[in-house]
PDB file of all heavy atoms in Angstrom:
ATOM      1  N   HIS A  46      -5.068 -10.668  -2.073  1.00  0.00           N
ATOM      2  CA  HIS A  46      -3.626 -10.423  -1.584  1.00  0.00           C
ATOM      3  C   HIS A  46      -3.364  -8.886  -1.586  1.00  0.00           C
ATOM      4  O   HIS A  46      -3.636  -8.183  -2.609  1.00  0.00           O
ATOM      5  CB  HIS A  46      -2.642 -11.117  -2.488  1.00  0.00           C
ATOM      6  CG  HIS A  46      -2.510 -12.552  -2.307  1.00  0.00           C
ATOM      7  ND1 HIS A  46      -3.168 -13.476  -3.185  1.00  0.00           N
ATOM      8  CD2 HIS A  46      -1.902 -13.243  -1.316  1.00  0.00           C
ATOM      9  CE1 HIS A  46      -2.882 -14.707  -2.718  1.00  0.00           C
ATOM     10  NE2 HIS A  46      -2.205 -14.625  -1.618  1.00  0.00           N
ATOM     11  N   VAL A  47      -2.860  -8.493  -0.431  1.00  0.00           N
ATOM     12  CA  VAL A  47      -2.482  -7.054  -0.246  1.00  0.00           C
ATOM     13  C   VAL A  47      -1.140  -6.925   0.306  1.00  0.00           C
ATOM     14  O   VAL A  47      -0.665  -7.948   1.038  1.00  0.00           O
ATOM     15  CB  VAL A  47      -3.540  -6.275   0.585  1.00  0.00           C
ATOM     16  CG1 VAL A  47      -4.825  -6.104  -0.055  1.00  0.00           C
ATOM     17  CG2 VAL A  47      -3.684  -6.967   1.991  1.00  0.00           C
ATOM     18  N   TYR A  48      -0.421  -5.906   0.043  1.00  0.00           N
ATOM     19  CA  TYR A  48       0.922  -5.629   0.613  1.00  0.00           C
ATOM     20  C   TYR A  48       0.680  -4.715   1.829  1.00  0.00           C
ATOM     21  O   TYR A  48       0.210  -3.610   1.696  1.00  0.00           O
ATOM     22  CB  TYR A  48       1.789  -4.971  -0.389  1.00  0.00           C
ATOM     23  CG  TYR A  48       2.250  -5.807  -1.485  1.00  0.00           C
ATOM     24  CD1 TYR A  48       1.654  -5.742  -2.745  1.00  0.00           C
ATOM     25  CD2 TYR A  48       3.265  -6.774  -1.296  1.00  0.00           C
ATOM     26  CE1 TYR A  48       2.042  -6.594  -3.782  1.00  0.00           C
ATOM     27  CE2 TYR A  48       3.671  -7.610  -2.345  1.00  0.00           C
ATOM     28  CZ  TYR A  48       3.007  -7.534  -3.541  1.00  0.00           C
ATOM     29  OH  TYR A  48       3.423  -8.335  -4.562  1.00  0.00           O
ATOM     30  N   VAL A  49       1.130  -5.263   3.035  1.00  0.00           N
ATOM     31  CA  VAL A  49       0.844  -4.626   4.344  1.00  0.00           C
ATOM     32  C   VAL A  49       2.080  -4.591   5.194  1.00  0.00           C
ATOM     33  O   VAL A  49       2.820  -5.555   5.189  1.00  0.00           O
ATOM     34  CB  VAL A  49      -0.387  -5.282   5.094  1.00  0.00           C
ATOM     35  CG1 VAL A  49      -0.642  -4.617   6.260  1.00  0.00           C
ATOM     36  CG2 VAL A  49      -1.516  -5.440   4.214  1.00  0.00           C
ATOM     37  N   CYS A  50       2.336  -3.451   5.849  1.00  0.00           N
ATOM     38  CA  CYS A  50       3.472  -3.451   6.754  1.00  0.00           C
ATOM     39  C   CYS A  50       3.144  -4.261   8.013  1.00  0.00           C
ATOM     40  O   CYS A  50       1.984  -4.444   8.370  1.00  0.00           O
ATOM     41  CB  CYS A  50       3.856  -1.990   7.101  1.00  0.00           C
ATOM     42  SG  CYS A  50       2.692  -1.044   8.052  1.00  0.00           S
ATOM     43  N   THR A  51       4.265  -4.713   8.705  1.00  0.00           N
ATOM     44  CA  THR A  51       4.002  -5.513   9.909  1.00  0.00           C
ATOM     45  C   THR A  51       3.443  -4.766  10.954  1.00  0.00           C
ATOM     46  O   THR A  51       2.742  -5.408  11.885  1.00  0.00           O
ATOM     47  CB  THR A  51       5.377  -6.142  10.288  1.00  0.00           C
ATOM     48  OG1 THR A  51       6.354  -5.062  10.421  1.00  0.00           O
ATOM     49  CG2 THR A  51       5.840  -7.186   9.296  1.00  0.00           C
ATOM     50  N   ARG A  52       3.572  -3.417  11.088  1.00  0.00           N
ATOM     51  CA  ARG A  52       2.941  -2.660  12.147  1.00  0.00           C
ATOM     52  C   ARG A  52       1.473  -2.719  12.035  1.00  0.00           C
ATOM     53  O   ARG A  52       0.666  -2.833  12.935  1.00  0.00           O
ATOM     54  CB  ARG A  52       3.473  -1.247  12.061  1.00  0.00           C
ATOM     55  CG  ARG A  52       2.738  -0.322  13.073  1.00  0.00           C
ATOM     56  CD  ARG A  52       3.598   0.979  13.162  1.00  0.00           C
ATOM     57  NE  ARG A  52       3.719   1.179  14.652  1.00  0.00           N
ATOM     58  CZ  ARG A  52       4.855   1.580  15.143  1.00  0.00           C
ATOM     59  NH1 ARG A  52       5.873   1.787  14.493  1.00  0.00           N
ATOM     60  NH2 ARG A  52       4.871   1.793  16.482  1.00  0.00           N
ATOM     61  N   CYS A  53       0.900  -2.607  10.819  1.00  0.00           N
ATOM     62  CA  CYS A  53      -0.605  -2.713  10.589  1.00  0.00           C
ATOM     63  C   CYS A  53      -1.089  -4.168  10.789  1.00  0.00           C
ATOM     64  O   CYS A  53      -2.157  -4.285  11.284  1.00  0.00           O
ATOM     65  CB  CYS A  53      -0.876  -2.350   9.160  1.00  0.00           C
ATOM     66  SG  CYS A  53      -0.727  -0.628   8.756  1.00  0.00           S
ATOM     67  N   LEU A  54      -0.254  -5.200  10.575  1.00  0.00           N
ATOM     68  CA  LEU A  54      -0.672  -6.538  10.969  1.00  0.00           C
ATOM     69  C   LEU A  54      -0.725  -6.749  12.412  1.00  0.00           C
ATOM     70  O   LEU A  54      -1.699  -7.298  12.941  1.00  0.00           O
ATOM     71  CB  LEU A  54       0.396  -7.548  10.351  1.00  0.00           C
ATOM     72  CG  LEU A  54       0.328  -7.780   8.868  1.00  0.00           C
ATOM     73  CD1 LEU A  54       1.517  -8.612   8.447  1.00  0.00           C
ATOM     74  CD2 LEU A  54      -1.051  -8.330   8.396  1.00  0.00           C
ATOM     75  N   ARG A  55       0.329  -6.208  13.106  1.00  0.00           N
ATOM     76  CA  ARG A  55       0.329  -6.393  14.588  1.00  0.00           C
ATOM     77  C   ARG A  55      -0.823  -5.655  15.299  1.00  0.00           C
ATOM     78  O   ARG A  55      -1.325  -6.029  16.289  1.00  0.00           O
ATOM     79  CB  ARG A  55       1.582  -5.897  15.160  1.00  0.00           C
ATOM     80  CG  ARG A  55       2.802  -6.885  15.046  1.00  0.00           C
ATOM     81  CD  ARG A  55       3.916  -6.457  15.850  1.00  0.00           C
ATOM     82  NE  ARG A  55       4.127  -4.971  15.874  1.00  0.00           N
ATOM     83  CZ  ARG A  55       5.061  -4.364  16.549  1.00  0.00           C
ATOM     84  NH1 ARG A  55       5.886  -5.050  17.238  1.00  0.00           N
ATOM     85  NH2 ARG A  55       5.100  -3.069  16.399  1.00  0.00           N
ATOM     86  N   SER A  56      -1.175  -4.426  14.805  1.00  0.00           N
ATOM     87  CA  SER A  56      -2.027  -3.583  15.446  1.00  0.00           C
ATOM     88  C   SER A  56      -3.549  -3.982  15.103  1.00  0.00           C
ATOM     89  O   SER A  56      -4.490  -3.379  15.613  1.00  0.00           O
ATOM     90  CB  SER A  56      -1.856  -2.113  15.069  1.00  0.00           C
ATOM     91  OG  SER A  56      -2.008  -1.886  13.654  1.00  0.00           O
ATOM     92  N   GLY A  57      -3.715  -4.976  14.240  1.00  0.00           N
ATOM     93  CA  GLY A  57      -4.984  -5.402  13.887  1.00  0.00           C
ATOM     94  C   GLY A  57      -5.821  -4.588  12.893  1.00  0.00           C
ATOM     95  O   GLY A  57      -7.080  -4.620  12.807  1.00  0.00           O
ATOM     96  N   ARG A  58      -5.064  -3.777  12.113  1.00  0.00           N
ATOM     97  CA  ARG A  58      -5.722  -2.919  11.059  1.00  0.00           C
ATOM     98  C   ARG A  58      -6.185  -3.766   9.824  1.00  0.00           C
ATOM     99  O   ARG A  58      -6.839  -3.141   8.994  1.00  0.00           O
ATOM    100  CB  ARG A  58      -4.797  -1.694  10.611  1.00  0.00           C
ATOM    101  CG  ARG A  58      -4.476  -0.766  11.675  1.00  0.00           C
ATOM    102  CD  ARG A  58      -3.754   0.322  11.104  1.00  0.00           C
ATOM    103  NE  ARG A  58      -3.157   1.210  12.175  1.00  0.00           N
ATOM    104  CZ  ARG A  58      -2.351   2.208  11.949  1.00  0.00           C
ATOM    105  NH1 ARG A  58      -2.066   2.501  10.641  1.00  0.00           N
ATOM    106  NH2 ARG A  58      -1.930   2.892  12.895  1.00  0.00           N
ATOM    107  N   VAL A  59      -5.737  -5.001   9.805  1.00  0.00           N
ATOM    108  CA  VAL A  59      -5.968  -5.853   8.645  1.00  0.00           C
ATOM    109  C   VAL A  59      -6.770  -7.060   9.054  1.00  0.00           C
ATOM    110  O   VAL A  59      -6.425  -7.695  10.072  1.00  0.00           O
ATOM    111  CB  VAL A  59      -4.560  -6.319   8.017  1.00  0.00           C
ATOM    112  CG1 VAL A  59      -4.901  -7.188   6.863  1.00  0.00           C
ATOM    113  CG2 VAL A  59      -3.743  -5.148   7.607  1.00  0.00           C
ATOM    114  N   ASP A  60      -7.855  -7.353   8.337  1.00  0.00           N
ATOM    115  CA  ASP A  60      -8.684  -8.486   8.647  1.00  0.00           C
ATOM    116  C   ASP A  60      -8.203  -9.619   7.847  1.00  0.00           C
ATOM    117  O   ASP A  60      -8.429  -9.765   6.598  1.00  0.00           O
ATOM    118  CB  ASP A  60     -10.188  -8.212   8.238  1.00  0.00           C
ATOM    119  CG  ASP A  60     -11.023  -9.390   8.621  1.00  0.00           C
ATOM    120  OD1 ASP A  60     -10.646 -10.132   9.482  1.00  0.00           O
ATOM    121  OD2 ASP A  60     -12.119  -9.419   8.097  1.00  0.00           O
ATOM    122  N   ARG A  61      -7.255 -10.534   8.494  1.00  0.00           N
ATOM    123  CA  ARG A  61      -6.628 -11.594   7.745  1.00  0.00           C
ATOM    124  C   ARG A  61      -7.675 -12.674   7.391  1.00  0.00           C
ATOM    125  O   ARG A  61      -8.585 -13.000   8.163  1.00  0.00           O
ATOM    126  CB  ARG A  61      -5.636 -12.292   8.642  1.00  0.00           C
ATOM    127  CG  ARG A  61      -4.447 -11.432   9.045  1.00  0.00           C
ATOM    128  CD  ARG A  61      -3.338 -11.356   7.974  1.00  0.00           C
ATOM    129  NE  ARG A  61      -2.811 -12.519   7.438  1.00  0.00           N
ATOM    130  CZ  ARG A  61      -1.688 -13.064   7.861  1.00  0.00           C
ATOM    131  NH1 ARG A  61      -0.986 -12.528   8.862  1.00  0.00           N
ATOM    132  NH2 ARG A  61      -1.242 -14.146   7.431  1.00  0.00           N
TER     133      ARG A  61
END
Side-chain angles (χ1 to χ4, degrees):
H46 282 99
V47 292
Y48 290 101
V49 182
C50 68
T51 51
R52 176 165 229 136
C53 289
L54 287 174
R55 281 191 323 179
S56 62
R58 294 185 192 177
V59 180
D60 185 19
R61 296 281 305 263

